DNA sequence: ACAAAAGTGTTGCTACTACACCCATGA
DNA sequence: TCATGGGTGTAGTAGCAACACTTTTGT
């Protein structure tokens, strides 16, 4: 018993903003355990040559048909009892992406794939609820010192869109005048000449993120509100 | 080959300050592979009921006789080829501690244990050099928003000691007047009536860290210099 | 009285907060 | 002309950086 074998898995918390709300990508389990419950996309590290990062990307693609996104390792969960079948250690990953243009497709182990608002989650399999709250915390911090917000936005976006990302993730409203001033002052936003026409009101100017300018900033820039 | 079994290990980067320099605790390997090279203390997760955190603590104790210290998970390294014996995934941990009062003792797998200045490391086994640089980066960030510095100090310390921790970890000198002002203003330092007599010069006042006061600070206090 | 490290104050500047109204557009 | 969200300016304040000398102690 002292050397029961341990299984290594990866699970990904894929987050996106939809209509001002933070959402997470879940799959509905087809098999036991936790059959019919929703869970994070993920699975065993079985292709022996792949890195953990590659495994996370592969599993995400296989189970949801989502690929080519930003992924980073979050935390590794290995408590006994997190999987009733036996000891498993899972490296949890965080993905930040935009829903636009995706075509969700459930993989063979799943009965469905869907985006769920993080504030209205169903009952989840395993310890996946814990993993999601860890991810939310991490994203909050990432917004403050990294260009993470831009992974959640399309190439071109309005200042209002950007502000909505911050408000959704931080869970609080921010003053729009100060927000604009502060962000424009960082220099990481490139003003385009295009505008976005959303309805019968004044069109908003579009911007893009400049990685180049971001890298000129000090080690830990502070985008705090 | 697609299901070759994967081994799960833990490795700990234990850091401490000694005479104003950051040091890491290493063990000298007794067996192949990498026999006679220095490595991080760590090993297999074999006691099946333990958490990763417990395994890290146990291995650290077994291999170096260091126990009861602050540990946190750092990152999980799982690239193929990091161990010539086969696929291993290691959850790396960070320990912050004070050398004072420790009695290092090499475990059975080791031929020696010692503190090494992080700026003067020997050749290391596995990918342990990468793990150590990751840990150094993490500590840098931790100093900026957490009371991590106090884990590296004894219960009672002088402002100079505290400043030395920041200087050692950040790798740069800071202005002592501003440093004192800023830290004293946070309120997390409790002034004692005792002083520390170090030589034939003015004795320095001693302080302790107040966790209580720390917790009254905003979410992400900034101890940046 | 000297060597060594402890300890202290001010000024200018930058950057944040708080706050409310006008603008451009399509219907 | 109205409804809707886009877009803007200022004044007060707080906190930071830059900077050098005096104090206390043991020898």
């Amino acid at each position: 018993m002292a050397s029961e074998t341990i299984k290594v898995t990866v699970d990904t918390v894929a987050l996106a903003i939809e209509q001002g709300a933070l959402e997470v990508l879940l799959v509905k389990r087809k098999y036991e355990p936790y059959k019919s419950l929703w869970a994070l996309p993920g699975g065993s590290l079985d292709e022996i040559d792949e890195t953990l990062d590659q495994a996370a990307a592969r599993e995400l693609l296989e189970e949801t048909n989502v690929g080519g996104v930003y992924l980073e390792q979050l935390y590794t969960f290995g408590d006994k009892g997190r999987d009733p079948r036996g000891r498993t250690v899972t490296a949890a990953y965080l993905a930040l992406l935009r829903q636009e243009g995706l075509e969700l497709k459930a993989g063979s182990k799943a009965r469905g794939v869907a985006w769920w608002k993080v504030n209205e989650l169903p009952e989840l399999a395993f310890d996946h609820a814990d993993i999601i709250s860890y991810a939310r915390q991490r994203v909050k911090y990432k917004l403050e010192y990294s260009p993470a917000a831009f992974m959640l936005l399309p190439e071109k976006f309005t200042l209002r869109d950007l502000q909505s990302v911050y408000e959704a993730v931080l869970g609080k409203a921010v003053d729009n005048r100060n927000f604009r001033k502060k962000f424009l002052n960082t220099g990481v936003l490139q003003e385009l000449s295009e505008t976005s026409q959303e309805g019968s009101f004044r069109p908003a100017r579009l911007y893009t993120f400049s990685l180049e300018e971001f890298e000129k900033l000090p080690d830990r820039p502070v985008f705090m509100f």
Side-chain angles (χ1 to χ4, degrees), chain A:
Chain A
M1 199 61 164
S3 238
E4 180 185 331
T5 153
I6 300 175
K7 202 163 181 187
V8 178
T9 61
V10 290
D11 286 300
T12 297
V13 181
L15 298 175
I17 301 282
E18 190 62 21
Q19 285 162 200
L22 191 63
E23 298 190 344
V24 59
L25 186 57
L26 299 177
V27 298
K28 190 168 187 176
R29 292 178 60 82
K30 205 168 186 174
Y31 305 113
E32 293 294 350
Y34 298 108
K35 183 173 162 180
S36 295
L37 284 195
W38 292 83
L40 294 172
S44 279
L45 189 71
D46 44 21
E47 308 201 1
I48 211 64
D49 274 2
E50 74 190 346
T51 63
L52 292 167
D53 297 31
Q54 288 164 349
R58 176 182 52 74
E59 286 284 350
L60 183 61
L61 186 63
E62 286 177 13
E63 299 210 343
T64 69
N65 194 41
V66 169
V69 301
Y70 169 79
L71 271 174
E72 79 174 38
Q73 193 185 298
L74 251 190
Y75 194 83
T76 298
F77 295 81
D79 285 8
K80 199 210 165 196
R82 51 178 305 283
D83 187 327
R85 289 164 297 186
R87 191 72 193 277
T88 66
V89 166
T90 195
Y93 276 76
L94 172 67
L96 299 178
L97 56 112
R98 17 186 181 273
Q99 294 184 17
E100 150 202 86
L102 299 181
E103 231 192 289
L104 299 186
K105 230 181 276 172
S108 57
K109 289 183 291 180
R111 174 171 307 229
V113 201
W115 288 99
W116 286 81
K117 293 199 197 315
V118 292
N119 289 324
E120 303 167 16
L121 293 178
E123 194 190 342
L124 295 175
F126 308 103
D127 52 358
H128 289 185
D130 295 334
I131 299 178
I132 292 172
S133 38
Y134 192 93
R136 292 181 66 175
Q137 192 59 37
R138 174 71 124 306
V139 177
K140 238 184 229 187
Y141 293 150
K142 285 191 76 70
L143 281 200
E144 293 179 349
Y145 62 82
S146 83
F150 304 103
M151 319 257 38
L152 295 164
L153 288 169
E155 200 62 35
K156 300 171 182 182
F157 52 84
T158 67
L159 280 170
R160 179 71 237 179
D161 294 335
L162 181 58
Q163 189 176 336
S164 298
V165 170
Y166 275 83
E167 291 180 331
V169 174
L170 302 180
K172 65 175 187 196
V174 303
D175 182 276
N176 72 336
R177 283 166 292 191
N178 294 335
F179 181 87
R180 283 157 178 267
K181 250 180 302 175
K182 201 163 162 185
F183 242 114
L184 291 171
N185 273 341
T186 63
V188 303
L189 298 182
Q190 247 159 28
E191 184 173 325
L192 301 176
S193 47
E194 305 163 65
T195 54
S196 127
Q197 188 65 64
E198 289 286 325
S200 66
F201 47 85
R202 179 172 181 174
R205 163 147 278 120
L206 290 170
Y207 292 83
T208 51
F209 167 66
S210 164
L211 182 58
E212 233 165 308
E213 291 297 321
F214 178 82
E215 283 169 350
K216 290 184 195 158
L217 296 178
D219 289 359
R220 290 223 135 186
V222 180
F223 302 130
M224 226 178 262
F225 300 96

